[in-house]
């Protein structure tokens, strides 16, 4: 398992009822059959006044960056509603291989889950699936790779990873073992920024995560 930081994730910003951490790549948010060690084991280290924060949303295990947590049940409910009502904006950065078709665009392609005994499960483009929309923009090009910004309008499982394959021929996120090719330095997908309404005041809060080491080692950042 590859991680980008120390065992206790760093706090990027916090309020009385919430905090945003910089989740390292390689750390699952919740435990599972293949991920017995997870962020849940570390949450007591982020407790204040005996209250342990809880994640409001999820990031894939191998995705790094901004993860929002709530300190109170009321805040978790408020922030969860904000996500479901589309009042939370997210910005991701990814290093992709292949050549995107243009400098920017939008992918509007519904997704559905498929599984089989041999390959396990994955998300696939399917017009009968759940609607999914992602804006994208090329930021930089270097050594046959592109740094691409993704702004999802919906929050489907693996949405950016699948939509990345639709922005040009033979495009995929570097290090994606499901929709591309695995790499020794991991999945090049980073939750770079998050904006949300503060649960008590309604003030718009924007948090930015620094570029992770694995991206800088690839020459981006």
């Amino acid at each position: 398992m590859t991680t980008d930081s120390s065992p206790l994730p760093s706090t990027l910003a916090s309020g009385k009822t919430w905090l945003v951490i910089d989740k390292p790549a390689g750390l699952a948010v919740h435990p599972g059959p293949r991920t017995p060690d997870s962020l849940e084991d570390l949450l007591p280290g982020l407790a204040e006044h005996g209250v342990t924060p809880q994640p409001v949303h999820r990031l894939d295990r191998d995705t790094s960056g901004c993860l929002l947590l709530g300190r109170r049940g009321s805040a978790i409910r408020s922030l969860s509603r904000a996500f479901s009502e589309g009042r939370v904006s997210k910005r991701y950065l990814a290093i992709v291989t292949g050549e995107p078709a243009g400098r920017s665009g939008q992918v509007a392609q519904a997704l559905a889950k498929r599984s089989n005994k041999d390959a396990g499960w994955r998300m696939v483009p399917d017009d009968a699936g759940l609607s999914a929309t992602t804006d994208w923009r090329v930021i930089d090009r270097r050594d046959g790779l592109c740094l691409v910004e993704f702004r999802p309008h919906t929050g489907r499982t693996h949405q950016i990873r699948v939509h990345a394959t639709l922005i040009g021929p033979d495009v995929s996120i570097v290090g994606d073992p499901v929709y591309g090719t695995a790499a020794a330095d991991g999945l090049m997908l980073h939750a770079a920024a998050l904006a949300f309404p503060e649960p008590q005041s309604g003030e718009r809060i924007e948090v930015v995560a620094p570029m992770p080491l694995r991206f800088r080692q690839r020459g981006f950042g």
Side-chain angles (χ1 to χ4, degrees):
M1 179 176 70
T2 300
T3 59
D4 287 330
S5 63
S6 61
L8 188 64
S10 61
T11 298
L12 299 171
S14 64
K16 289 184 178 180
T17 63
W18 58 271
L19 74 158
V20 178
I21 63 170
D22 189 1
K23 187 191 83 66
L27 180 65
V29 174
H30 300 292
R34 298 183 180 179
T35 56
D37 299 321
S38 71
L39 177 65
E40 287 189 7
D41 301 316
L42 305 178
L43 291 178
L46 298 170
E48 282 191 1
H49 308 296
V51 178
T52 300
Q54 298 297 322
V56 177
H57 62 119
R58 299 184 67 172
L59 291 176
D60 290 345
R61 180 189 64 186
D62 294 324
T63 301
S64 57
C66 295
L67 182 71
L68 179 59
L69 292 82
R71 296 190 188 278
R72 299 177 185 171
S74 58
I76 293 172
R77 290 190 293 274
S78 174
L79 293 168
S80 295
R81 283 196 302 273
F83 270 95
S84 65
E85 294 170 359
R87 292 184 287 120
V88 177
S89 61
K90 296 166 283 185
R91 180 168 65 88
Y92 289 79
L93 294 175
I95 301 175
V96 306
T97 184
E99 185 60 34
R103 295 190 59 84
S104 63
Q106 183 181 85
V107 177
Q109 174 60 63
L111 303 173
K113 187 176 183 179
R114 295 285 184 270
S115 62
N116 61 62
K117 184 177 181 180
D118 295 327
W121 69 272
R122 63 169 56 205
M123 302 300 290
V124 299
D126 186 337
D127 291 342
L130 297 173
S131 63
T133 304
T134 307
D135 294 331
W136 62 272
R137 177 173 67 97
V138 175
I139 295 175
D140 195 8
R141 287 181 165 86
R142 187 182 302 271
D143 300 327
L145 301 174
C146 291
L147 180 67
V148 181
E149 175 189 85
F150 291 94
R151 292 180 178 265
H153 294 275
T154 48
R156 309 306 180 198
T157 300
H158 291 186
Q159 175 173 323
I160 294 174
R161 295 167 65 181
V162 179
H163 279 183
T165 68
L166 304 178
I167 69 174
D170 301 319
V171 173
S172 64
I173 296 177
V174 172
D176 192 329
V178 178
Y179 307 103
T181 303
D185 48 356
L187 178 70
M188 295 295 155
L189 180 59
H190 180 60
L194 185 70
F196 58 93
E198 208 283 334
Q200 293 180 307
S201 68
E203 176 189 0
R204 191 73 173 170
I205 304 293
E206 183 170 2
V207 182
V208 177
M211 191 73 88
L213 176 62
R214 68 191 192 282
F215 276 60
R216 300 198 305 271
Q217 290 175 331
R218 288 270 187 163
F220 295 99

